[in-house]
Amino acid sequence: MRTFAIAASVAALALSFVGPASADPIIIKFSHVVATDTPKGKAAEKFKELAEKYTGGKVKVEVYPNSQLYKDKEELEALQLGSVQMLAPSNSKFGPLGIREFEVFDLPYILPDLKTLRKVTEGPLGARLLKLLEPKGITGLAYWDNGFKEMSANKKLVAPGDYQGVKFRIQSSRVLQAQFKALGSLPQVMAFSEVYQALQTGVVDGQENTWSNIYTQKMHEVQKYITETNHGYIGYVVIVNKKFWDDLPADIRDQLSKAMKEATDFNNAQSQKENDDALAEIKKSGRSEIIKLTPEQDEAMRKAMEPVYKDAASRVGQSLIDEFQKEAKSTTN
């Protein structure tokens, strides 16, 4: 009996030593809606690699691309409920959640270049916007670039009048609705994963997106013309469920923050290259004609979209719009 007791004590002691080492890893389900070979897709995989490395395997990141788990409209609710821990939705997704300030990113021509963008996202203005997510149970970790948007359709889009009556797919955004209504178009909210088929079947006539999204989703195969407008910006906010993040051990949180910073640098360095490469491949395919606007045509487009700012001011706040425009002026001066 005494031998059995000793054996049991030894076994218990052994378990006390191996217990923590053999504990199950912390799982982070990272869901997103684009292809793996986009800037966001590659950055998500980079974060997985670095997070698992820096935590010594204490964290396992499961990446689910291409709406495998949730579509655009579903993913934010899934994060708030804890069904997934991490997302990288576009800035447009936060307006419908009630955080209207993020709609400022959707304003046409508000961010003239990447230098201005960096001043916003890496400065106090960007940090202040991330804090607005917390009452919704969300912690914002980083801003990831995708790039600037181009217009595509099965008709040539050169002058503002060319947009009259064209059905455009948009993300759920009041600003984007106002943008296309200012052009006389018919905006239609649709999940990103459904756009290719909608273009192919004629449910919508056109869409706006970055070169990398257009190419990886094969939209250029079902659109005759793409106009190089660079009128808007698509970026993402990497977010986590706030309770999940706050409950992590401090050392794990620090290691994940380090991994996120490096993944962010990786994403932003890759973004322009991916878009340049995608444009080259689209040109090579010969499936879409690329249209470049003259300075006069570009100015006409900007003028046609001016009413969008007035429409947005009541929701976004004129002071926030002014701050963005101030950053743009200080960058170009």
Side-chain angles (χ1 to χ4, degrees), residues 90-96 98-107 125-133 140 143 173 175 236-237 239 315-316 320 324:
S90 66
N91 296 309
S92 300
K93 300 297 189 305
F94 299 108
I99 311 167
R100 295 173 177 172
E101 290 85 350
F102 275 87
E103 292 182 13
V104 71
F105 286 100
D106 288 336
L107 282 167
L125 182 51
R128 199 172 82 227
L129 287 170
L130 292 183
K131 292 292 286 183
L132 299 176
L133 300 171
Y143 292 94
S173 164
V175 172
Y236 310 110
V237 184
I239 57 175
R315 295 187 316 280
V316 174
L320 182 59
F324 267 64

CSV table of all heavy atoms in Angstrom, one decimal, residues 90-96 98-107 125-133 140 143 173 175 236-237 239 315-316 320 324:
chain,number,residue,atom,x,y,z
A,90,SER,N,-12.0,45.7,-43.9
A,90,SER,CA,-11.7,47.0,-44.5
A,90,SER,C,-12.3,48.1,-43.6
A,90,SER,O,-13.2,47.9,-42.8
A,90,SER,CB,-12.2,47.1,-45.9
A,90,SER,OG,-13.6,47.1,-45.9
A,91,ASN,N,-11.7,49.3,-43.7
A,91,ASN,CA,-12.2,50.4,-42.9
A,91,ASN,C,-13.7,50.7,-43.1
A,91,ASN,O,-14.3,51.1,-42.1
A,91,ASN,CB,-11.4,51.7,-43.3
A,91,ASN,CG,-10.0,51.6,-43.1
A,91,ASN,OD1,-9.5,51.3,-42.0
A,91,ASN,ND2,-9.1,51.9,-44.1
A,92,SER,N,-14.2,50.3,-44.2
A,92,SER,CA,-15.6,50.6,-44.5
A,92,SER,C,-16.6,49.8,-43.6
A,92,SER,O,-17.7,50.2,-43.4
A,92,SER,CB,-15.9,50.2,-46.0
A,92,SER,OG,-15.2,50.9,-46.9
A,93,LYS,N,-16.1,48.7,-43.0
A,93,LYS,CA,-17.0,47.8,-42.2
A,93,LYS,C,-17.4,48.4,-40.9
A,93,LYS,O,-18.3,48.0,-40.3
A,93,LYS,CB,-16.2,46.5,-42.0
A,93,LYS,CG,-15.9,45.7,-43.2
A,93,LYS,CD,-17.1,45.3,-44.0
A,93,LYS,CE,-16.7,44.3,-45.1
A,93,LYS,NZ,-15.7,44.8,-46.0
A,94,PHE,N,-16.7,49.5,-40.4
A,94,PHE,CA,-17.0,50.0,-39.1
A,94,PHE,C,-18.1,51.0,-39.1
A,94,PHE,O,-18.7,51.2,-38.0
A,94,PHE,CB,-15.7,50.5,-38.5
A,94,PHE,CG,-14.6,49.5,-38.3
A,94,PHE,CD1,-13.5,49.5,-39.2
A,94,PHE,CD2,-14.7,48.4,-37.4
A,94,PHE,CE1,-12.5,48.5,-39.1
A,94,PHE,CE2,-13.8,47.5,-37.3
A,94,PHE,CZ,-12.6,47.5,-38.1
A,95,GLY,N,-18.4,51.6,-40.2
A,95,GLY,CA,-19.5,52.6,-40.2
A,95,GLY,C,-20.8,51.9,-39.9
A,95,GLY,O,-21.5,52.4,-39.0
A,96,PRO,N,-21.2,50.8,-40.5
A,96,PRO,CA,-22.4,50.1,-40.2
A,96,PRO,C,-22.4,49.6,-38.8
A,96,PRO,O,-23.5,49.3,-38.2
A,96,PRO,CB,-22.4,48.9,-41.2
A,96,PRO,CG,-21.6,49.4,-42.3
A,96,PRO,CD,-20.5,50.2,-41.7
A,98,GLY,N,-21.6,51.4,-36.3
A,98,GLY,CA,-21.9,52.5,-35.5
A,98,GLY,C,-20.7,53.4,-35.3
A,98,GLY,O,-20.8,54.4,-34.6
A,99,ILE,N,-19.5,53.0,-35.8
A,99,ILE,CA,-18.3,53.8,-35.6
A,99,ILE,C,-18.1,54.6,-36.9
A,99,ILE,O,-17.3,54.2,-37.8
A,99,ILE,CB,-17.1,53.0,-35.2
A,99,ILE,CG1,-17.5,52.0,-34.1
A,99,ILE,CG2,-15.9,53.8,-34.8
A,99,ILE,CD1,-16.5,50.9,-33.9
A,100,ARG,N,-18.9,55.7,-37.1
A,100,ARG,CA,-19.0,56.4,-38.3
A,100,ARG,C,-17.7,57.1,-38.7
A,100,ARG,O,-17.5,57.4,-39.9
A,100,ARG,CB,-20.1,57.3,-38.3
A,100,ARG,CG,-21.5,56.6,-38.2
A,100,ARG,CD,-22.6,57.6,-38.0
A,100,ARG,NE,-23.9,56.9,-37.9
A,100,ARG,CZ,-25.0,57.5,-37.6
A,100,ARG,NH1,-25.0,58.8,-37.3
A,100,ARG,NH2,-26.2,56.9,-37.5
A,101,GLU,N,-16.8,57.4,-37.7
A,101,GLU,CA,-15.6,58.1,-38.0
A,101,GLU,C,-14.7,57.4,-39.1
A,101,GLU,O,-14.0,58.0,-39.8
A,101,GLU,CB,-14.8,58.3,-36.8
A,101,GLU,CG,-15.4,59.3,-35.8
A,101,GLU,CD,-16.5,58.7,-34.9
A,101,GLU,OE1,-16.9,57.6,-35.1
A,101,GLU,OE2,-16.9,59.4,-34.0
A,102,PHE,N,-14.8,56.1,-39.1
A,102,PHE,CA,-14.0,55.3,-40.0
A,102,PHE,C,-14.4,55.5,-41.5
A,102,PHE,O,-13.7,55.2,-42.4
A,102,PHE,CB,-14.0,53.8,-39.7
A,102,PHE,CG,-13.0,53.4,-38.6
A,102,PHE,CD1,-13.3,53.5,-37.3
A,102,PHE,CD2,-11.7,53.0,-39.0
A,102,PHE,CE1,-12.4,53.2,-36.3
A,102,PHE,CE2,-10.8,52.7,-38.0
A,102,PHE,CZ,-11.1,52.8,-36.7
A,103,GLU,N,-15.6,56.1,-41.7
A,103,GLU,CA,-16.1,56.3,-43.1
A,103,GLU,C,-15.2,57.4,-43.7
A,103,GLU,O,-15.2,57.5,-45.0
A,103,GLU,CB,-17.5,56.8,-43.0
A,103,GLU,CG,-18.5,55.7,-42.6
A,103,GLU,CD,-20.0,56.3,-42.7
A,103,GLU,OE1,-20.2,57.3,-43.3
A,103,GLU,OE2,-20.9,55.6,-42.2
A,104,VAL,N,-14.4,58.1,-43.0
A,104,VAL,CA,-13.6,59.2,-43.5
A,104,VAL,C,-12.6,58.6,-44.5
A,104,VAL,O,-12.2,59.2,-45.5
A,104,VAL,CB,-12.8,60.0,-42.4
A,104,VAL,CG1,-11.8,59.1,-41.8
A,104,VAL,CG2,-12.2,61.2,-43.0
A,105,PHE,N,-12.2,57.3,-44.3
A,105,PHE,CA,-11.2,56.7,-45.2
A,105,PHE,C,-11.8,56.4,-46.6
A,105,PHE,O,-11.1,56.2,-47.5
A,105,PHE,CB,-10.7,55.3,-44.6
A,105,PHE,CG,-9.8,55.4,-43.5
A,105,PHE,CD1,-10.2,55.3,-42.1
A,105,PHE,CD2,-8.4,55.7,-43.7
A,105,PHE,CE1,-9.3,55.4,-41.1
A,105,PHE,CE2,-7.5,55.8,-42.7
A,105,PHE,CZ,-7.9,55.7,-41.4
A,106,ASP,N,-13.2,56.4,-46.6
A,106,ASP,CA,-13.8,56.1,-47.9
A,106,ASP,C,-14.0,57.3,-48.8
A,106,ASP,O,-14.4,57.2,-49.9
A,106,ASP,CB,-15.2,55.5,-47.6
A,106,ASP,CG,-15.1,54.0,-47.1
A,106,ASP,OD1,-14.1,53.4,-47.4
A,106,ASP,OD2,-16.1,53.6,-46.5
A,107,LEU,N,-13.8,58.5,-48.2
A,107,LEU,CA,-14.0,59.7,-49.0
A,107,LEU,C,-13.1,59.8,-50.2
A,107,LEU,O,-11.9,59.5,-50.1
A,107,LEU,CB,-13.8,61.0,-48.1
A,107,LEU,CG,-14.9,61.3,-47.2
A,107,LEU,CD1,-14.4,62.3,-46.1
A,107,LEU,CD2,-16.1,61.8,-47.9
A,125,LEU,N,-3.7,60.5,-34.8
A,125,LEU,CA,-5.0,60.5,-35.4
A,125,LEU,C,-5.4,59.0,-35.6
A,125,LEU,O,-6.6,58.6,-35.2
A,125,LEU,CB,-5.0,61.2,-36.7
A,125,LEU,CG,-6.3,61.3,-37.5
A,125,LEU,CD1,-7.4,61.8,-36.6
A,125,LEU,CD2,-6.2,62.3,-38.7
A,126,GLY,N,-4.5,58.2,-36.1
A,126,GLY,CA,-4.9,56.8,-36.3
A,126,GLY,C,-5.1,56.1,-35.0
A,126,GLY,O,-6.0,55.3,-34.9
A,127,ALA,N,-4.3,56.4,-34.0
A,127,ALA,CA,-4.4,55.8,-32.7
A,127,ALA,C,-5.8,56.1,-32.0
A,127,ALA,O,-6.4,55.3,-31.4
A,127,ALA,CB,-3.3,56.2,-31.8
A,128,ARG,N,-6.2,57.4,-32.2
A,128,ARG,CA,-7.4,57.8,-31.7
A,128,ARG,C,-8.6,57.1,-32.3
A,128,ARG,O,-9.6,56.8,-31.6
A,128,ARG,CB,-7.6,59.3,-31.9
A,128,ARG,CG,-8.6,60.0,-31.0
A,128,ARG,CD,-8.5,61.5,-31.1
A,128,ARG,NE,-9.3,62.0,-32.3
A,128,ARG,CZ,-8.8,62.9,-33.1
A,128,ARG,NH1,-7.6,63.4,-33.0
A,128,ARG,NH2,-9.6,63.3,-34.1
A,129,LEU,N,-8.5,56.8,-33.6
A,129,LEU,CA,-9.6,56.1,-34.2
A,129,LEU,C,-9.7,54.7,-33.7
A,129,LEU,O,-10.8,54.2,-33.5
A,129,LEU,CB,-9.4,56.1,-35.8
A,129,LEU,CG,-9.7,57.5,-36.5
A,129,LEU,CD1,-9.2,57.4,-37.9
A,129,LEU,CD2,-11.1,57.8,-36.4
A,130,LEU,N,-8.6,54.0,-33.5
A,130,LEU,CA,-8.6,52.7,-33.0
A,130,LEU,C,-9.2,52.6,-31.6
A,130,LEU,O,-9.9,51.6,-31.3
A,130,LEU,CB,-7.1,52.1,-32.9
A,130,LEU,CG,-6.4,51.9,-34.2
A,130,LEU,CD1,-5.0,51.2,-33.9
A,130,LEU,CD2,-7.2,50.9,-35.1
A,131,LYS,N,-9.1,53.6,-30.8
A,131,LYS,CA,-9.7,53.6,-29.4
A,131,LYS,C,-11.2,53.6,-29.5
A,131,LYS,O,-11.9,53.1,-28.6
A,131,LYS,CB,-9.2,54.8,-28.7
A,131,LYS,CG,-7.7,54.8,-28.3
A,131,LYS,CD,-7.4,53.8,-27.2
A,131,LYS,CE,-7.9,54.1,-25.9
A,131,LYS,NZ,-7.5,53.1,-24.9
A,132,LEU,N,-11.7,54.1,-30.6
A,132,LEU,CA,-13.2,54.1,-30.8
A,132,LEU,C,-13.8,52.7,-30.9
A,132,LEU,O,-15.0,52.6,-30.7
A,132,LEU,CB,-13.6,55.0,-32.0
A,132,LEU,CG,-13.2,56.4,-32.0
A,132,LEU,CD1,-13.5,57.1,-33.3
A,132,LEU,CD2,-13.8,57.2,-30.8
A,133,LEU,N,-13.0,51.7,-31.2
A,133,LEU,CA,-13.5,50.4,-31.4
A,133,LEU,C,-13.7,49.7,-30.0
A,133,LEU,O,-14.5,48.7,-30.0
A,133,LEU,CB,-12.4,49.5,-32.1
A,133,LEU,CG,-12.1,50.0,-33.5
A,133,LEU,CD1,-10.9,49.2,-34.1
A,133,LEU,CD2,-13.2,49.9,-34.5
A,140,GLY,N,-8.2,47.3,-31.6
A,140,GLY,CA,-7.5,47.6,-32.9
A,140,GLY,C,-6.0,47.4,-32.7
A,140,GLY,O,-5.4,48.1,-31.8
A,143,TYR,N,-3.0,49.0,-38.8
A,143,TYR,CA,-3.6,49.3,-40.1
A,143,TYR,C,-2.7,48.6,-41.2
A,143,TYR,O,-1.5,48.7,-41.2
A,143,TYR,CB,-3.5,50.8,-40.3
A,143,TYR,CG,-4.4,51.7,-39.4
A,143,TYR,CD1,-3.9,52.2,-38.3
A,143,TYR,CD2,-5.7,51.9,-39.8
A,143,TYR,CE1,-4.7,53.0,-37.5
A,143,TYR,CE2,-6.6,52.7,-39.0
A,143,TYR,CZ,-6.1,53.2,-37.8
A,143,TYR,OH,-6.9,54.0,-37.0
A,173,SER,N,-21.2,51.0,-47.1
A,173,SER,CA,-20.7,52.3,-46.7
A,173,SER,C,-21.5,53.4,-47.2
A,173,SER,O,-21.8,53.5,-48.4
A,173,SER,CB,-19.2,52.5,-47.2
A,173,SER,OG,-18.8,53.8,-47.1
A,175,VAL,N,-20.7,56.5,-47.3
A,175,VAL,CA,-19.9,57.3,-48.2
A,175,VAL,C,-19.8,56.8,-49.6
A,175,VAL,O,-19.9,57.6,-50.6
A,175,VAL,CB,-18.5,57.5,-47.6
A,175,VAL,CG1,-17.6,58.2,-48.5
A,175,VAL,CG2,-18.5,58.2,-46.2
A,236,TYR,N,-7.1,48.1,-44.3
A,236,TYR,CA,-7.7,47.2,-43.3
A,236,TYR,C,-7.3,47.6,-41.9
A,236,TYR,O,-6.2,48.1,-41.7
A,236,TYR,CB,-7.3,45.7,-43.6
A,236,TYR,CG,-7.5,45.3,-45.0
A,236,TYR,CD1,-6.4,45.1,-45.9
A,236,TYR,CD2,-8.8,45.1,-45.6
A,236,TYR,CE1,-6.6,44.7,-47.2
A,236,TYR,CE2,-8.9,44.8,-46.9
A,236,TYR,CZ,-7.8,44.5,-47.7
A,236,TYR,OH,-8.0,44.2,-49.0
A,237,VAL,N,-8.1,47.2,-40.9
A,237,VAL,CA,-7.7,47.4,-39.5
A,237,VAL,C,-7.7,45.9,-39.0
A,237,VAL,O,-8.7,45.2,-39.0
A,237,VAL,CB,-8.7,48.2,-38.8
A,237,VAL,CG1,-8.3,48.4,-37.3
A,237,VAL,CG2,-9.0,49.6,-39.4
A,239,ILE,N,-7.9,43.6,-36.1
A,239,ILE,CA,-8.7,43.7,-34.8
A,239,ILE,C,-8.7,42.3,-34.2
A,239,ILE,O,-8.7,41.3,-34.8
A,239,ILE,CB,-10.1,44.2,-35.0
A,239,ILE,CG1,-10.9,43.4,-36.0
A,239,ILE,CG2,-10.0,45.7,-35.5
A,239,ILE,CD1,-12.3,43.8,-36.2
A,315,ARG,N,-22.2,62.9,-40.5
A,315,ARG,CA,-21.9,61.6,-39.8
A,315,ARG,C,-20.5,61.5,-39.3
A,315,ARG,O,-20.3,61.1,-38.2
A,315,ARG,CB,-22.3,60.5,-40.8
A,315,ARG,CG,-23.7,60.4,-41.2
A,315,ARG,CD,-24.0,59.1,-42.0
A,315,ARG,NE,-23.0,58.8,-43.0
A,315,ARG,CZ,-23.0,59.4,-44.2
A,315,ARG,NH1,-23.9,60.3,-44.5
A,315,ARG,NH2,-22.0,59.0,-45.0
A,316,VAL,N,-19.6,61.8,-40.2
A,316,VAL,CA,-18.1,61.6,-39.9
A,316,VAL,C,-17.6,62.7,-39.0
A,316,VAL,O,-16.8,62.4,-38.1
A,316,VAL,CB,-17.3,61.5,-41.2
A,316,VAL,CG1,-15.8,61.5,-40.9
A,316,VAL,CG2,-17.7,60.3,-42.0
A,320,LEU,N,-13.0,66.0,-38.3
A,320,LEU,CA,-12.2,64.9,-38.6
A,320,LEU,C,-11.8,65.0,-40.1
A,320,LEU,O,-10.6,64.8,-40.4
A,320,LEU,CB,-12.9,63.6,-38.4
A,320,LEU,CG,-12.1,62.3,-38.7
A,320,LEU,CD1,-10.8,62.2,-37.8
A,320,LEU,CD2,-13.0,61.1,-38.4
A,324,PHE,N,-7.8,65.3,-41.6
A,324,PHE,CA,-7.3,64.5,-42.7
A,324,PHE,C,-6.7,65.4,-43.8
A,324,PHE,O,-5.6,65.2,-44.3
A,324,PHE,CB,-8.4,63.5,-43.3
A,324,PHE,CG,-8.4,62.2,-42.7
A,324,PHE,CD1,-8.7,62.0,-41.4
A,324,PHE,CD2,-8.0,61.1,-43.5
A,324,PHE,CE1,-8.7,60.7,-40.8
A,324,PHE,CE2,-8.1,59.8,-42.9
A,324,PHE,CZ,-8.4,59.6,-41.6
